[in-house]
Amino acid sequence: KAGVTQTPRYLIKTRGQQVTLSCSPISGHRSVSWYQQTPGQGLQFLFEYFSETQRNKGNFPGRFSGRQFSNSRSEMNVSTLELGDSALYLCASSLEGARGYGYTFGSGTRLTVV
Amino acid sequence: DQQVKQNSPSLSVQEGRISILNCDYTNSMFDYFLWYKKYPAEGPTFLISISSIKDKNEDGRFTVFLNKSAKHLSLHIVPSQPGDSAVYFCAAKSEGAQKLVFGQGTRLTINP
């Protein structure tokens, strides 16, 4: 079966712009989570959606937002981009939430802010 | 406030020997721990997990040990193979929480 698909794979944006990243979960998965990976910081949790509702939110500024559609696809938006937003953004999907082998990551979107 | 810490950014091990990756945590509410492996340009892939009611879980060449009193877990890989060269992340979860808290990662290099 198809895995978690993230688009685009790479993105270059200018400071002050906004960006939208997309995540298509594994078919049947209703939970989608987003993480930011930066060197030396590991993966930092952004938010989690389940059946179109945000259930959890990490400690990120309001410039970071997301949503989930009825088909479980999710988008993440970052407004007023800053240089420090340059990172690999990963999404993970699962049937219900964060638990072991069923929690599958996509390959990520590499965002570079210049 | 780093609740999950991997204090070794890198580790180099000879092929065939044992690789031991360590992870410490501070939050006593964590009840489930996981290890992920990540290759460049790919997302993390799940390796092995352990519940807080256990102290050991084994899956083939991979064994995870949990020492709750020390708030420490480790991943043992025996024998190490060249394909094991990757970045390894430990992660933890609290009951009812729908997020994973990750360490910073350890880059493992297996030398032939």
Side-chain angles (χ1 to χ4, degrees):
Chain A
K1 61 182 177 183
V4 179
T5 303
Q6 291 189 246
T7 56
R9 288 297 306 274
Y10 301 93
L11 207 47
I12 299 176
K13 289 286 188 178
T14 304
R15 264 186 312 176
Q17 287 187 312
Q18 68 109 28
V19 67
T20 299
L21 312 181
S22 179
C23 174
S24 293
I26 291 172
S27 178
H29 284 191
R30 296 193 294 167
S31 170
V32 174
S33 299
W34 290 88
Y35 290 83
Q36 179 196 66
Q37 184 191 359
T38 54
Q41 292 295 316
L43 281 73
Q44 305 286 318
F45 174 77
L46 280 154
F47 27 65
E48 187 250 357
Y49 287 87
F50 182 83
S51 293
E52 302 179 66
T53 301
Q54 186 182 86
R55 288 199 299 192
N56 289 268
K57 191 175 191 308
N59 190 23
F60 278 81
R63 300 185 297 108
F64 292 81
S65 63
R67 59 178 175 169
Q68 187 179 34
F69 302 94
S70 59
N71 61 358
S72 292
R73 189 177 72 85
S74 178
E75 288 182 347
M76 189 192 111
N77 186 276
V78 187
S79 63
T80 319
L81 283 166
E82 300 177 358
L83 295 178
D85 296 333
S86 294
L88 179 67
Y89 290 88
L90 293 157
C91 81
S93 82
S94 67
L95 282 170
E96 291 189 354
R99 198 84 180 176
Y101 64 87
Y103 198 73
T104 305
F105 282 89
S107 297
T109 294
R110 171 74 62 185
L111 171 64
T112 303
V113 182
V114 298
Chain B
D1 161 29
Q2 194 77 27
Q3 297 184 63
V4 178
K5 294 183 182 179
Q6 294 176 257
N7 292 317
S8 298
S10 63
L11 177 66
S12 187
V13 174
Q14 195 168 4
E15 182 179 358
R17 306 293 289 267
I18 182 172
S19 295
I20 300 176
L21 296 99
N22 294 303
C23 180
D24 297 298
Y25 63 95
T26 58
N27 189 342
S28 57
M29 298 303 291
F30 288 146
D31 69 341
Y32 194 72
F33 303 88
L34 310 91
W35 284 94
Y36 281 84
K37 174 180 179 179
K38 186 179 183 302
Y39 292 119
E42 294 183 14
T45 54
F46 170 75
L47 262 181
I48 191 169
S49 63
I50 188 167
S51 165
S52 61
I53 62 173
K54 295 186 174 183
D55 54 19
K56 177 182 174 182
N57 189 27
E58 198 170 348
D59 184 2
R61 296 186 298 114
F62 302 92
T63 303
V64 56
F65 295 92
L66 175 62
N67 183 333
K68 284 181 63 179
S69 60
K71 293 191 175 65
H72 177 84
L73 66 154
S74 60
L75 174 68
H76 292 210
I77 307 173
V78 183
S80 300
Q81 299 174 354
D84 296 330
S85 294
V87 177
Y88 289 77
F89 291 95
C90 69
K93 178 183 175 305
S94 305
E95 184 177 0
Q98 295 303 334
K99 68 173 187 179
L100 297 180
V101 181
F102 283 85
Q104 307 95 312
T106 296
R107 181 176 302 279
L108 175 65
T109 302
I110 306 301
N111 302 308

